[in-house]
Amino acid sequence: PASNLFEPDRTLYERAMTDLNKNKFTVARLTLQTLINTYPDSEFLPQAKYAMAESFFRENSTSSLNQAENEFKDYITFFPNYPLADDAQLKIAMTHIRRIQKKDRDNTQAKLAEVELKAMIETYPDSDLLDEAKRDLRAVQEVLADGVYGVGNFYMLHRNYAAAVSRYKEVMTKYPDFTRMPEALFSVAEALRQAGNEQEATIYYARVIM
C-alpha cells in the first residue's frame, strides 16, 4: 500500500513476520535487525525484539535455544510491562525444558527450568499462562525427583545406606508430589532397616500403608 511508503518500519516488520512464518529464520532475523537498528523509536520495536527471540526458539537447535533464552531475557529487560513479558518468561523456561536430558544424566537443564518456571509463576500471578506454567513445573519436578530417587537406588544397591537415606529423604522434602512417593517411602524404610535404625524405619513403613 502507498501508506507503507511513510511507514517503512511497518513494512520491515510485516516482511520479517512473513519470512518467520515460512521458517525462513535467517532472512527474518536480518530484516528484524534492520528495523531495530534503523528505527529505535518505532512502535514495532517491542514486537520486533520478541520476534527475534521467537525465531531462535522456533529454530530449536541447541545453539539457537541458547540464543533464544538470551533474546527473551533481553526482551523482558527492555519491556518488562508489555503484554508478552509473561510469555517471554515462559519461553525462557521452555528453552531449558527442550534441553532436558534423560533422568540418569545431567539434570542442570531441569533445575534451570524449575527456577525459570517458579520465576514466571511468582512474577506474573495473573497471567493467562499460569496454569500452563504450573503444569510444566510439575512435570519438571517429576523429572528431578525421579533422578534423585534413582541416585538413592544406586547407593542402596551398593549398600551405602546412609547416602541412600539422604537421597530418599531429599525426594520427600523437595518433591512431595512425586508420583512414586510410596516407593520412595518404602525404600527409605528399607535403607534405614538395613542400616540398623529399625525404630525410624517403622515410621516410614507405617506411612506407606496410610
Side-chain angles (χ1 to χ4, degrees):
S3 61
N4 282 3
L5 293 174
F6 303 99
E7 295 182 281
D9 53 342
R10 178 190 292 274
T11 301
L12 287 169
Y13 177 72
E14 291 177 351
R15 183 189 306 163
M17 294 307 296
T18 297
D19 287 328
L20 179 58
N21 289 329
K22 292 180 179 179
N23 294 332
K24 296 179 179 179
F25 303 119
T26 301
V27 176
R29 285 195 285 268
L30 288 171
T31 305
L32 289 168
Q33 197 62 58
T34 299
L35 190 163
I36 293 167
N37 292 341
T38 310
Y39 305 100
D41 298 322
S42 170
E43 64 177 304
F44 294 99
L45 186 63
Q47 295 99 309
K49 293 284 286 183
Y50 183 89
M52 181 72 78
E54 180 71 11
S55 72
F56 287 109
F57 186 77
R58 293 189 191 181
E59 194 168 353
N60 201 34
S61 67
T62 299
S63 60
S64 67
L65 287 173
N66 286 331
Q67 189 62 37
E69 178 186 4
N70 293 332
E71 294 290 341
F72 281 124
K73 287 183 175 179
D74 198 39
Y75 176 88
I76 293 172
T77 298
F78 284 98
F79 310 106
N81 300 315
Y82 272 65
L84 289 173
D86 58 339
D87 186 273
Q89 180 61 47
L90 184 58
K91 289 285 179 63
I92 291 170
M94 289 298 298
T95 66
H96 295 294
I97 290 174
R98 289 184 176 185
R99 288 176 281 175
I100 290 176
Q101 299 186 49
K102 293 181 179 180
K103 63 186 179 183
D104 58 342
R105 297 184 180 179
D106 183 14
N107 64 0
T108 299
Q109 295 298 331
K111 288 182 176 179
L112 291 170
E114 182 183 35
V115 169
E116 297 297 352
L117 287 166
K118 286 182 175 178
M120 190 275 178
I121 292 167
E122 292 172 4
T123 307
Y124 307 100
D126 299 320
S127 171
D128 293 337
L129 301 171
L130 198 63
D131 288 342
E132 181 181 350
K134 289 180 178 179
R135 286 194 301 270
D136 288 343
L137 178 60
R138 178 73 189 84
V140 166
Q141 290 181 329
E142 183 75 10
V143 171
L144 289 169
D146 210 28
V148 176
Y149 181 61
V151 174
N153 289 340
F154 172 84
Y155 284 126
M156 187 71 171
L157 182 65
H158 289 80
R159 300 182 181 182
N160 188 340
Y161 300 120
V165 168
S166 176
R167 294 304 186 279
Y168 294 142
K169 287 186 175 180
E170 181 181 346
V171 171
M172 296 170 200
T173 302
K174 291 184 177 180
Y175 312 106
D177 297 323
F178 184 41
T179 56
R180 299 171 64 190
M181 188 59 73
E183 294 177 47
L185 289 167
F186 183 81
S187 295
V188 74
E190 282 289 285
L192 288 164
R193 182 180 66 81
Q194 294 286 356
N197 191 345
E198 295 186 1
Q199 183 175 1
E200 188 177 1
T202 302
I203 297 172
Y204 290 99
Y205 282 129
R207 288 180 61 183
V208 174
I209 60 176
M210 287 179 63

